[in-house]
Amino acid sequence: MFDCVAVVGATGAVGREFIQLISQRGFGAKRFKLLASARSAGTAVRVNGHQLTVEQLDPSSFDGVDLAFFSAGGSVSKTYAPAAVRSGCVVVDNSSAFRMDPNTPLVVPEVNPDDVKSHSGVIANPNCSTIIMVVPLWPLHRENPIQRVVVSTYQAASGAGQAAMHELEQQTRHVLDAKPVVPRLMPFQYAFNLFSHNSDIGDNGYNTEEMKMINETRKMFHCDDIRITATCVRVPVMRAHSEAINIRFARPITPDEVRAILAQAPGVTIVDQRDPQHFPMPIEASGIDDVLVGRIRRDISEPDGCSIDMFVCGDQLRKGAALNGIQIAELLAQSR
Amino acid sequence: MFDCVAVVGATGAVGREFIQLISQRGFGAKRFKLLASARSAGTAVRVNGHQLTVEQLDPSSFDGVDLAFFSAGGSVSKTYAPAAVRSGCVVVDNSSAFRMDPNTPLVVPEVNPDDVKSHSGVIANPNCSTIIMVVPLWPLHRENPIQRVVVSTYQAASGAGQAAMHELEQQTRHVLDAKPVVPRLMPFQYAFNLFSHNSDIGDNGYNTEEMKMINETRKMFHCDDIRITATCVRVPVMRAHSEAINIRFARPITPDEVRAILAQAPGVTIVDQRDPQHFPMPIEASGIDDVLVGRIRRDISEPDGCSIDMFVCGDQLRKGAALNGIQIAELLAQSR
């Protein structure tokens, strides 16, 4: 049980999901405080049955706050999280600001819950695409070490925030009405189109989103020699990410063994029906907690039987962001 | 120069593209004949500046026809192509009916043009996803043999025909207007969603579309030991397919070497600009002939430098279907 829990970025897509989950899960806190930029301050929001007013974030916002969920971007986290920690608050940070900091644990509760214990004020929530991938990969990795992963993503608009979801909707109306499309937030037309994830590209040609999937997975698995390549793509879907994942294991493994492991795995629902076909889809993954896993099959390109193909979908705002943060806080509450 | 060229399935999405390309490319024939089912017979269509009426397909339709493009599905091809061949017509078949028949050449003119010569009446046009993949893979394979491919597709509505494109448009309007969505042609909601390619699934867990990409590539490359795995997914895009392709070569290869080879390759345009970002996108691949290739980078998961990642887009109706058929006919015309 916490005394006072703050949500920073309370009016954003992830912030709203935090607030909804707090109510749905009966998250234990005596008091809640909603924080955002000056632009959103004054907005009225219901939390756990109580009407609250969003306050403007400033350095003194964290007096008396013992837990804060940050989801307002990396620069807000870098500016305000240290002050929050100094005032005695534990920060669960959804931005990328501290994820690769060696002193900050990066946690998916189904994967590395014990890492929460080593925090020094900040616990980082991983990138959404990474979380959705590692929830099904970790239980497999524990049984049969994963050597290499080739992943291609199909990422939803919510990954770029509420404004991107709105842009996708508005642009789609314009295309259907044969009106000109003017991209604003997204760099290209999003309606009935797709494009390479528009994060910065490094010297090696990978974009930041792809490098997050690679580096964050290694950090959480405590395994630097797992080899991963990723291609991250934004598709015109609202709020659930999909991923086609090719996995090479140390030893042979059958699709039935994969299904048996995943059937027991927390946070996973298997959706893998061949006739009539029913596999993971964004519309069915949206609004639920579990990552859906299907299309589980032996990779016929690897004759030694050590490779598996699968297809997964997870709600980007929920398990990919807010739900994972809430679960981290629940772990903290248990250890208090 | 042909005397009389028939288009079977003239009112379908691919048939219309055939007719448009015949006019655009000044395809040489004295006469054209448009054929379709009873439902579409009587429709008036302009071909090369002349108004023609679509006739109902029957076994005598091919009297005096020396070339026929078939794009009316596998059962129409199986029923009518043998009769057409007996009457002296050469059939360029866009269906899957004869693709894997050892006596039928399967041809992409940029890959295996010489195979056209060995036909005995029917030349098969490959599956759209296969064509779009092999156009950039073949010139690389000739320089440095490809050992393994992991491909994930992002397939457009046009792959399921004109009715699927219409369904995507109508469903999208319904979702935006908060009306209920009732899937008709497609098995699931298509608007703002994606799903595993809904072709039949075999005992090995791969769907037919995936097996086409694997088997057709091997046949055209005359290389049974190229190892391929594929995951085929339909995304809410109108008419260009995208593919994330991970390629393992026999020897080390650099991204610059890949770019140099592809810069000379017929049918390929490199779109690979990192700042500001500009990579292949369906809206830019639609309505053009070339396959767009970008995101060319060394696969950092393979330390020996033998693997490359890339992302490609190609117009499913054009190079993925009708254009490739026209190019086959142009090869035939040259050898007459």
Side-chain angles (χ1 to χ4, degrees), chain A residues 148 153-154 199 205 210 227 229-231 277 295 297 299 301-302 309, chain B residues 148 153-154 199 210 227 229-231 277 295 297 299 301-302 309:
Chain A
R148 182 172 176 243
T153 71
Y154 305 67
S199 47
E210 291 158 355
R227 297 179 288 127
T229 185
T231 299
Q277 294 187 17
R295 296 300 319 277
R297 60 205 192 278
D299 166 3
S301 80
E302 293 283 45
D309 275 301
Chain B
R148 182 172 177 245
T153 70
Y154 304 68
S199 48
E210 291 159 355
R227 297 179 288 127
T229 184
T231 299
Q277 294 186 17
R295 297 300 321 276
R297 61 205 192 277
D299 166 4
S301 80
E302 292 285 45
D309 275 301

PDB file of all heavy atoms in Angstrom, chain A residues 148 153-154 199 205 210 227 229-231 277 295 297 299 301-302 309, chain B residues 148 153-154 199 210 227 229-231 277 295 297 299 301-302 309:
ATOM      1  N   ARG A 148      19.520 -17.092 -31.230  1.00  0.00           N
ATOM      2  CA  ARG A 148      19.347 -16.009 -32.203  1.00  0.00           C
ATOM      3  C   ARG A 148      17.874 -15.766 -32.454  1.00  0.00           C
ATOM      4  O   ARG A 148      17.072 -16.715 -32.445  1.00  0.00           O
ATOM      5  CB  ARG A 148      20.045 -16.378 -33.524  1.00  0.00           C
ATOM      6  CG  ARG A 148      19.968 -15.281 -34.579  1.00  0.00           C
ATOM      7  CD  ARG A 148      20.840 -15.619 -35.789  1.00  0.00           C
ATOM      8  NE  ARG A 148      20.685 -14.602 -36.819  1.00  0.00           N
ATOM      9  CZ  ARG A 148      20.177 -14.819 -38.045  1.00  0.00           C
ATOM     10  NH1 ARG A 148      19.796 -16.028 -38.393  1.00  0.00           N
ATOM     11  NH2 ARG A 148      20.064 -13.828 -38.903  1.00  0.00           N
ATOM     12  N   THR A 153       8.456  -6.321 -36.908  1.00  0.00           N
ATOM     13  CA  THR A 153       7.304  -5.820 -36.162  1.00  0.00           C
ATOM     14  C   THR A 153       6.271  -5.166 -37.065  1.00  0.00           C
ATOM     15  O   THR A 153       6.572  -4.712 -38.173  1.00  0.00           O
ATOM     16  CB  THR A 153       7.718  -4.792 -35.087  1.00  0.00           C
ATOM     17  OG1 THR A 153       8.131  -3.581 -35.725  1.00  0.00           O
ATOM     18  CG2 THR A 153       8.819  -5.320 -34.198  1.00  0.00           C
ATOM     19  N   TYR A 154       5.044  -5.122 -36.550  1.00  0.00           N
ATOM     20  CA  TYR A 154       3.894  -4.485 -37.180  1.00  0.00           C
ATOM     21  C   TYR A 154       3.318  -3.596 -36.082  1.00  0.00           C
ATOM     22  O   TYR A 154       2.484  -4.038 -35.297  1.00  0.00           O
ATOM     23  CB  TYR A 154       2.873  -5.544 -37.610  1.00  0.00           C
ATOM     24  CG  TYR A 154       3.384  -6.656 -38.526  1.00  0.00           C
ATOM     25  CD1 TYR A 154       4.307  -7.597 -38.088  1.00  0.00           C
ATOM     26  CD2 TYR A 154       2.920  -6.770 -39.829  1.00  0.00           C
ATOM     27  CE1 TYR A 154       4.760  -8.613 -38.923  1.00  0.00           C
ATOM     28  CE2 TYR A 154       3.362  -7.780 -40.678  1.00  0.00           C
ATOM     29  CZ  TYR A 154       4.284  -8.701 -40.208  1.00  0.00           C
ATOM     30  OH  TYR A 154       4.718  -9.711 -41.034  1.00  0.00           O
ATOM     31  N   SER A 199      12.204   6.314 -35.760  1.00  0.00           N
ATOM     32  CA  SER A 199      13.197   6.736 -34.766  1.00  0.00           C
ATOM     33  C   SER A 199      14.546   6.911 -35.473  1.00  0.00           C
ATOM     34  O   SER A 199      14.736   6.443 -36.595  1.00  0.00           O
ATOM     35  CB  SER A 199      13.277   5.696 -33.638  1.00  0.00           C
ATOM     36  OG  SER A 199      13.369   4.386 -34.157  1.00  0.00           O
ATOM     37  N   GLY A 205      22.882   1.353 -39.326  1.00  0.00           N
ATOM     38  CA  GLY A 205      21.696   1.233 -40.169  1.00  0.00           C
ATOM     39  C   GLY A 205      20.440   0.810 -39.422  1.00  0.00           C
ATOM     40  O   GLY A 205      19.349   0.807 -39.996  1.00  0.00           O
ATOM     41  N   GLU A 210      14.708  -0.554 -33.071  1.00  0.00           N
ATOM     42  CA  GLU A 210      15.295  -1.879 -33.284  1.00  0.00           C
ATOM     43  C   GLU A 210      16.398  -2.157 -32.263  1.00  0.00           C
ATOM     44  O   GLU A 210      16.469  -3.264 -31.687  1.00  0.00           O
ATOM     45  CB  GLU A 210      15.833  -1.971 -34.720  1.00  0.00           C
ATOM     46  CG  GLU A 210      14.708  -1.984 -35.745  1.00  0.00           C
ATOM     47  CD  GLU A 210      15.085  -1.560 -37.165  1.00  0.00           C
ATOM     48  OE1 GLU A 210      16.252  -1.149 -37.385  1.00  0.00           O
ATOM     49  OE2 GLU A 210      14.215  -1.628 -38.055  1.00  0.00           O
ATOM     50  N   ARG A 227      21.810 -13.345 -29.788  1.00  0.00           N
ATOM     51  CA  ARG A 227      21.983 -12.563 -31.022  1.00  0.00           C
ATOM     52  C   ARG A 227      20.606 -12.240 -31.602  1.00  0.00           C
ATOM     53  O   ARG A 227      19.800 -13.140 -31.812  1.00  0.00           O
ATOM     54  CB  ARG A 227      22.828 -13.355 -32.021  1.00  0.00           C
ATOM     55  CG  ARG A 227      24.247 -13.610 -31.503  1.00  0.00           C
ATOM     56  CD  ARG A 227      25.090 -14.411 -32.476  1.00  0.00           C
ATOM     57  NE  ARG A 227      24.701 -15.795 -32.546  1.00  0.00           N
ATOM     58  CZ  ARG A 227      24.407 -16.451 -33.670  1.00  0.00           C
ATOM     59  NH1 ARG A 227      24.468 -15.839 -34.838  1.00  0.00           N
ATOM     60  NH2 ARG A 227      24.062 -17.718 -33.633  1.00  0.00           N
ATOM     61  N   THR A 229      18.330  -9.720 -34.474  1.00  0.00           N
ATOM     62  CA  THR A 229      18.168  -8.664 -35.473  1.00  0.00           C
ATOM     63  C   THR A 229      16.681  -8.333 -35.556  1.00  0.00           C
ATOM     64  O   THR A 229      15.829  -9.212 -35.345  1.00  0.00           O
ATOM     65  CB  THR A 229      18.755  -9.035 -36.852  1.00  0.00           C
ATOM     66  OG1 THR A 229      18.644  -7.890 -37.719  1.00  0.00           O
ATOM     67  CG2 THR A 229      18.039 -10.210 -37.499  1.00  0.00           C
ATOM     68  N   ALA A 230      16.383  -7.050 -35.802  1.00  0.00           N
ATOM     69  CA  ALA A 230      14.992  -6.587 -35.780  1.00  0.00           C
ATOM     70  C   ALA A 230      14.754  -5.614 -36.922  1.00  0.00           C
ATOM     71  O   ALA A 230      15.645  -4.853 -37.298  1.00  0.00           O
ATOM     72  CB  ALA A 230      14.691  -5.905 -34.445  1.00  0.00           C
ATOM     73  N   THR A 231      13.544  -5.671 -37.481  1.00  0.00           N
ATOM     74  CA  THR A 231      13.082  -4.667 -38.445  1.00  0.00           C
ATOM     75  C   THR A 231      11.764  -4.129 -37.910  1.00  0.00           C
ATOM     76  O   THR A 231      10.805  -4.894 -37.754  1.00  0.00           O
ATOM     77  CB  THR A 231      12.885  -5.292 -39.844  1.00  0.00           C
ATOM     78  OG1 THR A 231      14.144  -5.799 -40.298  1.00  0.00           O
ATOM     79  CG2 THR A 231      12.377  -4.252 -40.845  1.00  0.00           C
ATOM     80  N   GLN A 277      -9.216 -21.092 -39.116  1.00  0.00           N
ATOM     81  CA  GLN A 277      -8.038 -20.359 -38.668  1.00  0.00           C
ATOM     82  C   GLN A 277      -8.370 -19.312 -37.607  1.00  0.00           C
ATOM     83  O   GLN A 277      -9.296 -18.524 -37.761  1.00  0.00           O
ATOM     84  CB  GLN A 277      -7.384 -19.669 -39.868  1.00  0.00           C
ATOM     85  CG  GLN A 277      -6.818 -20.669 -40.867  1.00  0.00           C
ATOM     86  CD  GLN A 277      -6.021 -20.005 -41.971  1.00  0.00           C
ATOM     87  OE1 GLN A 277      -5.627 -18.851 -41.851  1.00  0.00           O
ATOM     88  NE2 GLN A 277      -5.778 -20.743 -43.042  1.00  0.00           N
ATOM     89  N   ARG A 295       0.626 -19.252 -34.621  1.00  0.00           N
ATOM     90  CA  ARG A 295       1.437 -19.633 -35.782  1.00  0.00           C
ATOM     91  C   ARG A 295       2.711 -20.352 -35.328  1.00  0.00           C
ATOM     92  O   ARG A 295       3.766 -20.220 -35.970  1.00  0.00           O
ATOM     93  CB  ARG A 295       1.801 -18.425 -36.662  1.00  0.00           C
ATOM     94  CG  ARG A 295       0.698 -17.664 -37.361  1.00  0.00           C
ATOM     95  CD  ARG A 295      -0.166 -18.457 -38.335  1.00  0.00           C
ATOM     96  NE  ARG A 295       0.516 -19.413 -39.187  1.00  0.00           N
ATOM     97  CZ  ARG A 295       1.131 -19.122 -40.334  1.00  0.00           C
ATOM     98  NH1 ARG A 295       1.121 -17.911 -40.787  1.00  0.00           N
ATOM     99  NH2 ARG A 295       1.715 -20.057 -41.042  1.00  0.00           N
ATOM    100  N   ARG A 297       5.264 -22.979 -35.259  1.00  0.00           N
ATOM    101  CA  ARG A 297       5.596 -24.064 -36.175  1.00  0.00           C
ATOM    102  C   ARG A 297       7.107 -24.230 -36.258  1.00  0.00           C
ATOM    103  O   ARG A 297       7.855 -23.294 -35.971  1.00  0.00           O
ATOM    104  CB  ARG A 297       5.012 -23.793 -37.573  1.00  0.00           C
ATOM    105  CG  ARG A 297       5.520 -22.517 -38.234  1.00  0.00           C
ATOM    106  CD  ARG A 297       4.510 -22.011 -39.258  1.00  0.00           C
ATOM    107  NE  ARG A 297       5.075 -20.951 -40.103  1.00  0.00           N
ATOM    108  CZ  ARG A 297       5.153 -19.666 -39.747  1.00  0.00           C
ATOM    109  NH1 ARG A 297       4.731 -19.271 -38.564  1.00  0.00           N
ATOM    110  NH2 ARG A 297       5.668 -18.780 -40.578  1.00  0.00           N
ATOM    111  N   ASP A 299      10.469 -24.205 -37.964  1.00  0.00           N
ATOM    112  CA  ASP A 299      11.036 -23.460 -39.082  1.00  0.00           C
ATOM    113  C   ASP A 299      11.664 -24.470 -40.039  1.00  0.00           C
ATOM    114  O   ASP A 299      12.699 -25.065 -39.747  1.00  0.00           O
ATOM    115  CB  ASP A 299      12.071 -22.464 -38.533  1.00  0.00           C
ATOM    116  CG  ASP A 299      12.973 -21.881 -39.611  1.00  0.00           C
ATOM    117  OD1 ASP A 299      12.793 -22.191 -40.808  1.00  0.00           O
ATOM    118  OD2 ASP A 299      13.880 -21.110 -39.234  1.00  0.00           O
ATOM    119  N   SER A 301      13.259 -24.117 -42.626  1.00  0.00           N
ATOM    120  CA  SER A 301      14.536 -23.746 -43.257  1.00  0.00           C
ATOM    121  C   SER A 301      15.732 -24.244 -42.455  1.00  0.00           C
ATOM    122  O   SER A 301      16.867 -24.169 -42.920  1.00  0.00           O
ATOM    123  CB  SER A 301      14.631 -22.227 -43.437  1.00  0.00           C
ATOM    124  OG  SER A 301      14.993 -21.580 -42.232  1.00  0.00           O
ATOM    125  N   GLU A 302      15.481 -24.729 -41.241  1.00  0.00           N
ATOM    126  CA  GLU A 302      16.580 -25.218 -40.402  1.00  0.00           C
ATOM    127  C   GLU A 302      16.384 -26.711 -40.165  1.00  0.00           C
ATOM    128  O   GLU A 302      15.618 -27.116 -39.287  1.00  0.00           O
ATOM    129  CB  GLU A 302      16.613 -24.467 -39.071  1.00  0.00           C
ATOM    130  CG  GLU A 302      16.970 -22.995 -39.196  1.00  0.00           C
ATOM    131  CD  GLU A 302      18.444 -22.729 -39.424  1.00  0.00           C
ATOM    132  OE1 GLU A 302      19.075 -23.425 -40.267  1.00  0.00           O
ATOM    133  OE2 GLU A 302      18.975 -21.818 -38.767  1.00  0.00           O
ATOM    134  N   ASP A 309       9.163 -20.737 -35.718  1.00  0.00           N
ATOM    135  CA  ASP A 309       8.531 -19.478 -36.109  1.00  0.00           C
ATOM    136  C   ASP A 309       7.274 -19.286 -35.277  1.00  0.00           C
ATOM    137  O   ASP A 309       6.550 -20.257 -35.001  1.00  0.00           O
ATOM    138  CB  ASP A 309       8.129 -19.512 -37.598  1.00  0.00           C
ATOM    139  CG  ASP A 309       9.261 -19.118 -38.522  1.00  0.00           C
ATOM    140  OD1 ASP A 309       9.773 -17.990 -38.379  1.00  0.00           O
ATOM    141  OD2 ASP A 309       9.641 -19.933 -39.382  1.00  0.00           O
TER     142      ASP A 309
ATOM    143  N   ARG B 148      20.093 -18.939 -46.939  1.00  0.00           N
ATOM    144  CA  ARG B 148      18.859 -18.980 -46.150  1.00  0.00           C
ATOM    145  C   ARG B 148      18.186 -17.615 -46.168  1.00  0.00           C
ATOM    146  O   ARG B 148      18.873 -16.585 -46.192  1.00  0.00           O
ATOM    147  CB  ARG B 148      19.183 -19.389 -44.707  1.00  0.00           C
ATOM    148  CG  ARG B 148      17.959 -19.500 -43.805  1.00  0.00           C
ATOM    149  CD  ARG B 148      18.317 -20.108 -42.443  1.00  0.00           C
ATOM    150  NE  ARG B 148      17.154 -20.140 -41.577  1.00  0.00           N
ATOM    151  CZ  ARG B 148      17.033 -19.435 -40.443  1.00  0.00           C
ATOM    152  NH1 ARG B 148      18.024 -18.666 -40.009  1.00  0.00           N
ATOM    153  NH2 ARG B 148      15.936 -19.501 -39.730  1.00  0.00           N
ATOM    154  N   THR B 153       5.954 -10.949 -44.420  1.00  0.00           N
ATOM    155  CA  THR B 153       5.282 -10.082 -45.396  1.00  0.00           C
ATOM    156  C   THR B 153       4.234  -9.180 -44.755  1.00  0.00           C
ATOM    157  O   THR B 153       3.712  -9.476 -43.669  1.00  0.00           O
ATOM    158  CB  THR B 153       4.593 -10.899 -46.506  1.00  0.00           C
ATOM    159  OG1 THR B 153       3.457 -11.575 -45.944  1.00  0.00           O
ATOM    160  CG2 THR B 153       5.533 -11.896 -47.135  1.00  0.00           C
ATOM    161  N   TYR B 154       3.952  -8.092 -45.450  1.00  0.00           N
ATOM    162  CA  TYR B 154       2.926  -7.108 -45.086  1.00  0.00           C
ATOM    163  C   TYR B 154       2.103  -6.952 -46.366  1.00  0.00           C
ATOM    164  O   TYR B 154       2.413  -6.120 -47.204  1.00  0.00           O
ATOM    165  CB  TYR B 154       3.584  -5.779 -44.708  1.00  0.00           C
ATOM    166  CG  TYR B 154       4.626  -5.843 -43.602  1.00  0.00           C
ATOM    167  CD1 TYR B 154       5.848  -6.476 -43.786  1.00  0.00           C
ATOM    168  CD2 TYR B 154       4.397  -5.233 -42.372  1.00  0.00           C
ATOM    169  CE1 TYR B 154       6.799  -6.522 -42.768  1.00  0.00           C
ATOM    170  CE2 TYR B 154       5.347  -5.268 -41.354  1.00  0.00           C
ATOM    171  CZ  TYR B 154       6.546  -5.912 -41.561  1.00  0.00           C
ATOM    172  OH  TYR B 154       7.494  -5.951 -40.561  1.00  0.00           O
ATOM    173  N   SER B 199      -4.838 -18.338 -46.448  1.00  0.00           N
ATOM    174  CA  SER B 199      -4.809 -19.519 -47.317  1.00  0.00           C
ATOM    175  C   SER B 199      -4.711 -20.768 -46.432  1.00  0.00           C
ATOM    176  O   SER B 199      -4.403 -20.682 -45.243  1.00  0.00           O
ATOM    177  CB  SER B 199      -3.626 -19.419 -48.287  1.00  0.00           C
ATOM    178  OG  SER B 199      -2.430 -19.077 -47.615  1.00  0.00           O
ATOM    179  N   GLU B 210       2.789 -19.018 -47.888  1.00  0.00           N
ATOM    180  CA  GLU B 210       4.181 -19.159 -47.430  1.00  0.00           C
ATOM    181  C   GLU B 210       4.907 -20.241 -48.226  1.00  0.00           C
ATOM    182  O   GLU B 210       6.065 -20.053 -48.636  1.00  0.00           O
ATOM    183  CB  GLU B 210       4.184 -19.468 -45.921  1.00  0.00           C
ATOM    184  CG  GLU B 210       3.719 -18.279 -45.087  1.00  0.00           C
ATOM    185  CD  GLU B 210       3.214 -18.600 -43.689  1.00  0.00           C
ATOM    186  OE1 GLU B 210       3.109 -19.800 -43.333  1.00  0.00           O
ATOM    187  OE2 GLU B 210       2.889 -17.648 -42.949  1.00  0.00           O
ATOM    188  N   ARG B 227      17.394 -22.393 -48.440  1.00  0.00           N
ATOM    189  CA  ARG B 227      16.507 -22.631 -47.300  1.00  0.00           C
ATOM    190  C   ARG B 227      15.730 -21.352 -46.984  1.00  0.00           C
ATOM    191  O   ARG B 227      16.333 -20.296 -46.813  1.00  0.00           O
ATOM    192  CB  ARG B 227      17.321 -23.092 -46.098  1.00  0.00           C
ATOM    193  CG  ARG B 227      18.028 -24.432 -46.356  1.00  0.00           C
ATOM    194  CD  ARG B 227      18.860 -24.881 -45.165  1.00  0.00           C
ATOM    195  NE  ARG B 227      20.064 -24.097 -44.990  1.00  0.00           N
ATOM    196  CZ  ARG B 227      20.422 -23.498 -43.855  1.00  0.00           C
ATOM    197  NH1 ARG B 227      19.658 -23.602 -42.788  1.00  0.00           N
ATOM    198  NH2 ARG B 227      21.538 -22.802 -43.781  1.00  0.00           N
ATOM    199  N   THR B 229      12.257 -19.591 -44.839  1.00  0.00           N
ATOM    200  CA  THR B 229      11.053 -19.639 -44.015  1.00  0.00           C
ATOM    201  C   THR B 229      10.320 -18.319 -44.210  1.00  0.00           C
ATOM    202  O   THR B 229      10.943 -17.279 -44.442  1.00  0.00           O
ATOM    203  CB  THR B 229      11.348 -19.922 -42.531  1.00  0.00           C
ATOM    204  OG1 THR B 229      10.088 -20.044 -41.831  1.00  0.00           O
ATOM    205  CG2 THR B 229      12.163 -18.822 -41.874  1.00  0.00           C
ATOM    206  N   ALA B 230       8.984 -18.378 -44.176  1.00  0.00           N
ATOM    207  CA  ALA B 230       8.168 -17.196 -44.462  1.00  0.00           C
ATOM    208  C   ALA B 230       6.995 -17.127 -43.496  1.00  0.00           C
ATOM    209  O   ALA B 230       6.461 -18.148 -43.075  1.00  0.00           O
ATOM    210  CB  ALA B 230       7.643 -17.263 -45.895  1.00  0.00           C
ATOM    211  N   THR B 231       6.627 -15.896 -43.128  1.00  0.00           N
ATOM    212  CA  THR B 231       5.400 -15.633 -42.377  1.00  0.00           C
ATOM    213  C   THR B 231       4.618 -14.601 -43.171  1.00  0.00           C
ATOM    214  O   THR B 231       5.102 -13.491 -43.391  1.00  0.00           O
ATOM    215  CB  THR B 231       5.716 -15.104 -40.961  1.00  0.00           C
ATOM    216  OG1 THR B 231       6.466 -16.093 -40.254  1.00  0.00           O
ATOM    217  CG2 THR B 231       4.435 -14.799 -40.195  1.00  0.00           C
ATOM    218  N   GLN B 277      14.795  10.413 -43.317  1.00  0.00           N
ATOM    219  CA  GLN B 277      14.490   9.027 -43.650  1.00  0.00           C
ATOM    220  C   GLN B 277      13.571   8.901 -44.862  1.00  0.00           C
ATOM    221  O   GLN B 277      12.546   9.572 -44.952  1.00  0.00           O
ATOM    222  CB  GLN B 277      13.825   8.335 -42.449  1.00  0.00           C
ATOM    223  CG  GLN B 277      14.765   8.204 -41.266  1.00  0.00           C
ATOM    224  CD  GLN B 277      14.169   7.393 -40.137  1.00  0.00           C
ATOM    225  OE1 GLN B 277      13.203   6.670 -40.323  1.00  0.00           O
ATOM    226  NE2 GLN B 277      14.772   7.499 -38.963  1.00  0.00           N
ATOM    227  N   ARG B 295      16.456   0.016 -46.351  1.00  0.00           N
ATOM    228  CA  ARG B 295      16.848  -0.518 -45.030  1.00  0.00           C
ATOM    229  C   ARG B 295      17.937  -1.576 -45.207  1.00  0.00           C
ATOM    230  O   ARG B 295      18.011  -2.552 -44.431  1.00  0.00           O
ATOM    231  CB  ARG B 295      15.662  -1.125 -44.264  1.00  0.00           C
ATOM    232  CG  ARG B 295      14.518  -0.210 -43.869  1.00  0.00           C
ATOM    233  CD  ARG B 295      14.871   0.949 -42.954  1.00  0.00           C
ATOM    234  NE  ARG B 295      15.840   0.685 -41.904  1.00  0.00           N
ATOM    235  CZ  ARG B 295      15.583   0.162 -40.720  1.00  0.00           C
ATOM    236  NH1 ARG B 295      14.361  -0.177 -40.405  1.00  0.00           N
ATOM    237  NH2 ARG B 295      16.543  -0.007 -39.824  1.00  0.00           N
ATOM    238  N   ARG B 297      21.145  -3.237 -44.566  1.00  0.00           N
ATOM    239  CA  ARG B 297      22.124  -3.122 -43.485  1.00  0.00           C
ATOM    240  C   ARG B 297      22.683  -4.491 -43.152  1.00  0.00           C
ATOM    241  O   ARG B 297      22.043  -5.515 -43.427  1.00  0.00           O
ATOM    242  CB  ARG B 297      21.476  -2.484 -42.246  1.00  0.00           C
ATOM    243  CG  ARG B 297      20.306  -3.261 -41.666  1.00  0.00           C
ATOM    244  CD  ARG B 297      19.378  -2.330 -40.895  1.00  0.00           C
ATOM    245  NE  ARG B 297      18.403  -3.071 -40.102  1.00  0.00           N
ATOM    246  CZ  ARG B 297      17.252  -3.553 -40.592  1.00  0.00           C
ATOM    247  NH1 ARG B 297      16.940  -3.408 -41.861  1.00  0.00           N
ATOM    248  NH2 ARG B 297      16.430  -4.206 -39.790  1.00  0.00           N
ATOM    249  N   ASP B 299      23.310  -7.494 -40.950  1.00  0.00           N
ATOM    250  CA  ASP B 299      22.577  -8.114 -39.846  1.00  0.00           C
ATOM    251  C   ASP B 299      23.562  -8.298 -38.693  1.00  0.00           C
ATOM    252  O   ASP B 299      24.460  -9.138 -38.763  1.00  0.00           O
ATOM    253  CB  ASP B 299      22.007  -9.454 -40.337  1.00  0.00           C
ATOM    254  CG  ASP B 299      21.528 -10.351 -39.209  1.00  0.00           C
ATOM    255  OD1 ASP B 299      21.561  -9.939 -38.034  1.00  0.00           O
ATOM    256  OD2 ASP B 299      21.119 -11.491 -39.532  1.00  0.00           O
ATOM    257  N   SER B 301      23.243  -9.614 -35.940  1.00  0.00           N
ATOM    258  CA  SER B 301      23.138 -10.855 -35.163  1.00  0.00           C
ATOM    259  C   SER B 301      24.069 -11.940 -35.704  1.00  0.00           C
ATOM    260  O   SER B 301      24.219 -12.994 -35.072  1.00  0.00           O
ATOM    261  CB  SER B 301      21.693 -11.368 -35.157  1.00  0.00           C
ATOM    262  OG  SER B 301      21.376 -12.052 -36.356  1.00  0.00           O
ATOM    263  N   GLU B 302      24.646 -11.701 -36.879  1.00  0.00           N
ATOM    264  CA  GLU B 302      25.544 -12.700 -37.468  1.00  0.00           C
ATOM    265  C   GLU B 302      26.947 -12.107 -37.557  1.00  0.00           C
ATOM    266  O   GLU B 302      27.270 -11.357 -38.486  1.00  0.00           O
ATOM    267  CB  GLU B 302      25.047 -13.098 -38.867  1.00  0.00           C
ATOM    268  CG  GLU B 302      23.732 -13.868 -38.864  1.00  0.00           C
ATOM    269  CD  GLU B 302      23.837 -15.317 -38.413  1.00  0.00           C
ATOM    270  OE1 GLU B 302      24.510 -15.600 -37.408  1.00  0.00           O
ATOM    271  OE2 GLU B 302      23.220 -16.173 -39.080  1.00  0.00           O
ATOM    272  N   ASP B 309      20.019  -7.526 -43.763  1.00  0.00           N
ATOM    273  CA  ASP B 309      18.591  -7.250 -43.630  1.00  0.00           C
ATOM    274  C   ASP B 309      18.197  -6.207 -44.669  1.00  0.00           C
ATOM    275  O   ASP B 309      18.963  -5.273 -44.942  1.00  0.00           O
ATOM    276  CB  ASP B 309      18.276  -6.688 -42.228  1.00  0.00           C
ATOM    277  CG  ASP B 309      18.068  -7.771 -41.193  1.00  0.00           C
ATOM    278  OD1 ASP B 309      17.165  -8.602 -41.381  1.00  0.00           O
ATOM    279  OD2 ASP B 309      18.807  -7.792 -40.189  1.00  0.00           O
TER     280      ASP B 309
END
